[in-house]
Amino acid sequence: MKALRQLVVAAMLLFGAAVSYGDSLKVKITSRALLDATASSYGKEDVEGYYSLEDFRLGLHARYGRYEFMSDLEFGRGDFSVMVLLLNYHFKNSVLSFGNGYEPFSLDMLISTIDLRFNQMAPSVTAFTNSPRLGFTYHYYNDNWYLATGLYTHNDMNKLGKDKKNAFISTSRAVWRKHDEDTGDLLHIGGAFSYRTKETNKDNPTGSISSFGVTSMFPESMYGATIDNMGSELKGQVEAVYASRKVLMQGEYFYDRMNRTGGKPAYNAHGGYIQGSYLIKGERFNYDSMYGVPGRPSSEKAIELVARFNYTDLNDDKSGIFGGEGKDLSVGVNFYLNKYVGVKFNGSYVWVGEGCNSFYDKDFFLAQARVQYVF
């Protein structure tokens, strides 16, 4: 926490130094809250039905000329953590960002939690992505391209003590997109690549991969594996988005290879999802060209039907490591009452395959609801 305080002070000083050039200063306090309720057919007392304050955040967004400061503090579930703490410098068509933030890997991970179509990201997304990392990212954008590259530590700002991992990550993402001038339709195709070095200063370091599944409110994660003799890691991802006046389609596929030392075979895992949205009420969807991600419906008041199919496979026969395999189908309806408040209802049927956590011993249906606000 001492390192955290020092970095916060350093970021504030850097931002304060920028405030001496005479441009107008714009400051905004932000907040969001996600209140979730869940009901399950699983038949176990501790998961039959309950509710949770899934996420509560307070943030600060300040802009002064080309300088931008962003912070996002999370208080969900009784824990406190720094999700985002970034100092950005804007060029004409690019942004240089330093601090604690998300790597440019996975479209769904980069979408704000209030803009997700379901209560949780697809299980394959949470399996193959990381929490925010401390490092820097360079973003470039124009009408047809988004390009990003960055270098990060294998730790977020909340884990810089004795348990920190002595490794580095290099991640890059490229997106080509085309807006039809006549119809306004969007086509977006891209991918990302990430390389992590072998952890140093540890004998036989271990790695892990996990995903809680369609809900984080169950007491156990559905997928999970520990990889011994951990070496370097290579991850790849491809993505596609199509948006029209009423329809938004989105999909991703992930592949992860974790190399191992001592002559042991590498561990390989993969998965992906495809999802679609249809607006019963409202038109068009927001799209952030600066960072290459779609958002909520453009209309302040909208009703959206959504569906998603996900597949996750963390089992690898060659390495002898089994983290679970499963599929899930989710459908839902989202009500955007205004630009601040939304209500979401969705249901998921989960097919539990081999190798999953022993808590998950049969297929099940899960219903979820969310009330959210943001300002």
Side-chain angles (χ1 to χ4, degrees), residues 112-337:
S112 172
T113 52
I114 61 167
D115 292 336
L116 292 173
R117 268 58 209 181
F118 296 90
N119 285 34
Q120 301 292 343
M121 289 172 283
S124 57
V125 175
T126 54
F128 297 106
T129 57
N130 297 322
S131 61
R133 292 291 186 252
L134 180 63
F136 72 88
T137 310
Y138 178 75
H139 308 267
Y140 171 81
Y141 60 94
N142 60 26
D143 290 342
N144 294 113
W145 289 96
Y146 166 81
L147 305 170
T149 189
L151 182 66
Y152 315 89
T153 70
H154 194 25
N155 309 277
D156 65 22
M157 189 174 288
N158 306 288
K159 299 176 182 178
L160 291 176
K162 294 181 179 179
D163 296 330
K164 67 178 182 292
K165 297 180 179 179
N166 297 301
F168 289 94
I169 301 171
S170 174
T171 303
S172 299
R173 178 176 175 233
V175 171
W176 174 86
R177 64 271 184 107
K178 177 69 174 178
H179 276 99
D180 189 297
E181 295 182 0
D182 297 324
T183 65
D185 294 356
L186 168 72
L187 178 62
H188 159 133
I189 299 172
F193 174 82
S194 182
Y195 173 75
R196 179 186 53 75
T197 64
K198 178 181 178 294
E199 189 175 354
T200 61
N201 303 326
K202 277 191 179 181
D203 295 329
N204 298 324
T206 59
S208 64
I209 185 170
S210 66
S211 173
F212 37 70
V214 295
T215 179
S216 61
M217 296 173 70
F218 276 12
E220 301 286 345
S221 294
M222 182 171 173
Y223 306 97
T226 298
I227 298 88
D228 61 341
N229 291 79
M230 187 69 182
S232 60
E233 180 181 14
L234 293 151
K235 293 194 299 185
Q237 169 261 7
V238 292
E239 63 187 58
V241 175
Y242 170 76
S244 65
R245 188 173 66 90
K246 290 286 188 178
V247 173
L248 175 68
M249 299 294 295
Q250 173 183 320
E252 294 183 83
Y253 172 78
F254 305 90
Y255 182 83
D256 193 353
R257 176 187 174 90
M258 298 187 186
N259 297 312
R260 300 163 75 199
T261 60
K264 294 191 174 184
Y267 168 73
N268 296 275
H270 70 112
Y273 72 91
I274 184 169
Q275 68 183 40
S277 303
Y278 178 78
L279 292 177
I280 299 175
K281 180 180 179 180
E283 293 188 358
R284 299 293 175 191
F285 298 86
N286 293 333
Y287 181 81
D288 188 341
S289 296
M290 187 181 297
Y291 297 110
V293 292
R296 58 174 290 164
S298 300
S299 304
E300 285 194 9
K301 296 182 179 180
I303 301 175
E304 177 186 35
L305 295 178
V306 292
R308 180 182 73 199
F309 178 77
N310 173 82
Y311 175 72
T312 307
D313 186 3
L314 306 188
N315 292 337
D316 183 19
D317 292 331
K318 291 184 178 180
S319 67
I321 298 174
F322 301 94
E325 178 268 343
K327 302 179 288 291
D328 52 90
L329 177 64
S330 302
V331 295
V333 57
N334 301 326
F335 298 89
Y336 300 91
L337 307 183

